[in-house]
Amino acid sequence: MATTGATIAGVPALVRFRESPEAAAGHGTVLYYHGFGGDKGRCEPYLTALAEAGFLGVSLDAAGHGDRRLDDFDVIFDPGRWDTDFEATETDFLKLIDDTAAEVPSVVDDLLARGWARPDRVGICGRSLGGNVSYAAVLADRRLRAAASIVGSP
């Protein structure tokens, strides 16, 4: 089992596979997005399960998270702000989902160019925020052949 850090289409990522990324991509490439406030590293158990099943697991930092966390994240998403200015906070939250989903076509393009994906074998999944990204991404990129949302409700 091997894990490598990478930047894919400008997005910080972790990639996990058994033999090589190219060999794993032959079985399928799965993009995995973490939950709200998390980062790509929180997905390592899922990446391991995907790699053990023969897939190429790719965990990516969502917009405004992880290595590209918004400087004012804690202010924008302060728990009290949800109570005092729900509409603005929800708008900021939805923007993170939309911005992340909008990156997916470029991520898939980059993976294809590297030989780390096959056009007919790319899937996406995620938990919570990542589950919502999964729903939005299937609209952004028709090359996604499978999607799973875990505790994500559009």
Side-chain angles (χ1 to χ4, degrees):
M1 193 79 51
T3 302
T4 185
T7 300
I8 300 170
V11 180
L14 289 176
V15 181
R16 185 159 289 167
F17 50 89
R18 277 196 297 198
E19 298 168 27
S20 71
E22 296 81 7
H27 297 281
T29 300
V30 180
L31 309 180
Y32 194 99
Y33 286 92
H34 56 80
F36 180 71
D39 63 38
K40 64 189 173 304
R42 289 184 120 177
C43 304
E44 287 200 55
Y46 305 105
L47 292 182
T48 298
L50 289 165
E52 286 175 350
F55 296 101
L56 179 67
V58 181
S59 174
L60 301 116
D61 281 338
H65 287 75
D67 290 339
R68 54 196 190 145
R69 186 177 174 95
L70 297 171
D71 291 336
D72 55 354
F73 186 95
D74 293 331
V75 173
I76 294 170
F77 298 108
D78 180 274
R81 185 170 180 243
W82 286 98
D83 295 331
T84 61
D85 196 357
F86 179 82
E87 286 185 28
T89 308
E90 181 182 45
T91 297
D92 290 331
F93 176 75
L94 294 174
K95 183 174 180 347
L96 295 178
I97 293 169
D98 291 343
D99 289 351
T100 304
E103 296 173 339
V104 169
S106 295
V107 167
V108 173
D109 288 343
D110 191 340
L111 291 167
L112 290 168
R114 294 174 191 232
W116 291 6
R118 304 292 181 271
D120 60 340
R121 295 185 182 172
V122 180
I124 188 168
C125 62
R127 181 185 177 282
S128 187
L129 173 120
N132 288 308
V133 168
S134 297
Y135 282 124
V138 296
L139 300 174
D141 196 322
R142 302 192 96 179
R143 295 173 293 182
L144 296 172
R145 298 294 186 202
S149 175
I150 304 162
V151 193
S153 177

